Amino acid sequence: MEVLTQPFGAQATCYTLINDHGVALRVTDFGARIVSLRVPLATGERELVLGFDSAEEYQQKDTFIGATIGRVAGRIAGAHWPYDGVDYQFEANENDNTLHSGVIGFDQRYWQATPAVTPNDVRVVFTYVSAAGENGFPGQVTAKVTYALDNENVWRLTYEAVTDAPTLFNPTNHVYFNLTGDPAQSVAAHQLKVAADHVAPIGDQNLTTGVMQSVAGTSFDFRTAKPVRTAIESSADQNQRVGHGLDHPFLLQDTHGAPQAELSAPDGLIRVAMTTTAPAVVVFTGNFGDDYHVPMRHSYLKNHGGITLETQAVPGAERFAQYGDIVLTPATPYHQVTAFKLDF
Ligand code: G6D
């Protein structure tokens, strides 16, 4: 196992973590982000995730792709949070709401990086100190995100955070998978399985509504594997959001270590099995619109050219207690682990 270090544009650095099977995970300090995940298949190397070639390219095209999102992933309705007698104001960067914490969230910060080869894995620990008041959030938060790759072909993400005053904290990783290796190909033919009996429906302005809806008999029933296509095609009819495709939080079951989500390539040559300590996963099918056409590596990113598995608490938890508690306090540090096992 080894770590290679290279420049990633003018200021950023990129680290390539390589295991003994030739799996290569590339990450950058710009946004504590996954840039690339390549596996050696019998048919040749295959890229599994969306990504660009420099920090500048992310800045020009899309800073969410592959990034650590925080402090709060998803939408905060009305861009404010009343807590303990204070009404905290955030930036409204999508309609009247805050998306992914504001204009410059964790995804556009430079994180301090510490690469290491340990007996069990090869890793980079990213650390970022978010000052009290940054993006309107109270409390100074020290956040740590560890990307590790081991010889079982597991990519493991560990989140840790401490705060000096109560604040909201609900981060995620915005990795987009496209297991065909080509972002111009829709993910519709991927097989998806999600261990969730309930989904949080999306209403006006893509906000959650406080509802937890049973998936039984709906296009959200992924308790047995099926192509993503059916949900992409039917969710628009159900008026769950404007636009076609999934953009929904699934409430995960405790599967006692068994995968909580599985994604397989249309040709069956690669499968990603996810387990997490987080209570939910937001599945977003890259609903960029029919005209979307952005140069990416040797191809183009198009509508539905990637699918996310964003592990976190259900967005809107600051308003709806039934979605859980995302208030981080000095007494209880944050700890969350998500693992993606690559089977090929
Ligand atoms: C997240 O759920 C959201 C989407 O609605 C958003 O468009 C994307 O991030 C950029 O997945």
Side-chain angles (χ1 to χ4, degrees):
M1 293 193 280
E2 58 176 335
V3 191
L4 309 176
T5 303
Q6 288 167 304
F8 196 64
Q11 286 182 62
T13 304
C14 140
Y15 302 86
T16 306
L17 313 182
I18 303 170
N19 76 4
D20 293 346
H21 306 294
V23 175
L25 168 65
R26 294 184 92 194
V27 297
T28 176
D29 53 356
F30 177 62
R33 171 191 322 271
I34 177 169
V35 166
S36 163
L37 180 57
R38 295 178 73 90
V39 291
L41 301 184
T43 49
E45 268 217 329
R46 190 177 294 181
E47 176 63 67
L48 305 184
V49 306
L50 304 189
F52 298 114
D53 295 325
S54 68
E56 288 75 10
E57 217 186 324
Y58 282 95
Q59 257 153 347
Q60 284 156 19
K61 296 177 180 174
D62 187 329
T63 59
F64 296 139
I65 294 177
T68 298
I69 305 290
R71 302 179 187 189
V72 175
R75 294 173 178 82
I76 300 176
H80 77 124
W81 174 51
Y83 182 78
D84 205 15
V86 182
D87 195 13
Y88 293 99
Q89 304 294 319
F90 310 124
E91 296 153 6
N93 58 337
E94 190 193 78
N95 303 310
D96 301 329
N97 312 310
T98 305
L99 174 64
H100 296 334
S101 303
V103 179
I104 300 183
F106 282 180
D107 56 299
Q108 290 179 73
R109 307 287 177 185
Y110 283 87
W111 295 59
Q112 191 246 314
T114 310
V117 180
T118 79
N120 298 321
D121 58 37
V122 60
R123 54 173 59 197
V124 179
V125 182
F126 291 111
T127 307
Y128 177 67
V129 180
S130 172
E134 187 176 278
N135 298 112
F137 293 95
Q140 174 181 289
V141 168
T142 302
K144 236 185 226 191
V145 179
T146 302
Y147 281 76
L149 175 69
D150 68 18
N151 279 330
E152 310 287 307
N153 298 329
V154 174
W155 159 34
R156 185 172 285 100
L157 271 171
T158 305
Y159 302 84
E160 294 160 280
V162 289
T163 182
D164 64 4
T167 191
L168 288 176
F169 199 67
N170 187 19
T172 194
N173 182 277
H174 213 302
V175 60
Y176 286 88
F177 294 99
N178 187 323
L179 304 182
T180 69
D182 182 5
Q185 283 194 42
S186 161
V187 295
H190 285 51
Q191 297 274 332
L192 177 67
K193 187 176 171 188
V194 184
D197 295 328
H198 293 89
V199 69
I202 301 299
D204 195 28
Q205 300 187 355
N206 292 344
L207 295 169
T208 52
T209 60
V211 171
M212 286 178 277
Q213 179 195 319
S214 168
V215 299
T218 75
S219 61
F220 299 111
D221 193 348
F222 284 96
R223 291 174 295 184
T224 52
K226 68 176 186 194
V228 173
R229 173 173 285 109
T230 47
I232 287 182
E233 285 169 0
S234 59
S235 56
D237 304 338
Q238 293 169 10
N239 199 21
Q240 302 285 352
R241 64 159 276 150
V242 186
H244 299 248
L246 284 174
D247 191 3
H248 293 78
F250 288 79
L251 291 105
L252 295 168
Q253 295 163 10
D254 183 356
T255 52
H256 309 285
Q260 287 157 302
E262 291 172 56
L263 187 68
S264 306
D267 64 6
L269 293 183
I270 172 84
R271 184 184 75 130
V272 178
M274 184 204 87
T275 49
T276 184
T277 58
V281 62
V282 175
V283 181
F284 176 55
T285 49
N287 315 325
F288 305 124
D290 289 337
D291 299 334
Y292 198 80
H293 192 79
V294 167
M296 176 173 278
R297 298 186 177 125
H298 306 296
S299 183
Y300 290 90
L301 174 57
K302 299 184 86 159
N303 196 25
H304 305 309
I307 179 169
T308 69
L309 297 174
E310 300 163 68
T311 54
Q312 58 172 106
V314 176
E318 70 287 346
R319 290 196 293 157
F320 303 118
Q322 60 273 34
Y323 291 159
D325 184 3
I326 59 166
V327 179
L328 183 69
T329 65
T332 316
Y334 185 88
H335 187 87
Q336 200 76 259
V337 183
T338 297
F340 298 98
K341 184 168 188 341
L342 311 175
D343 290 321
F344 58 95

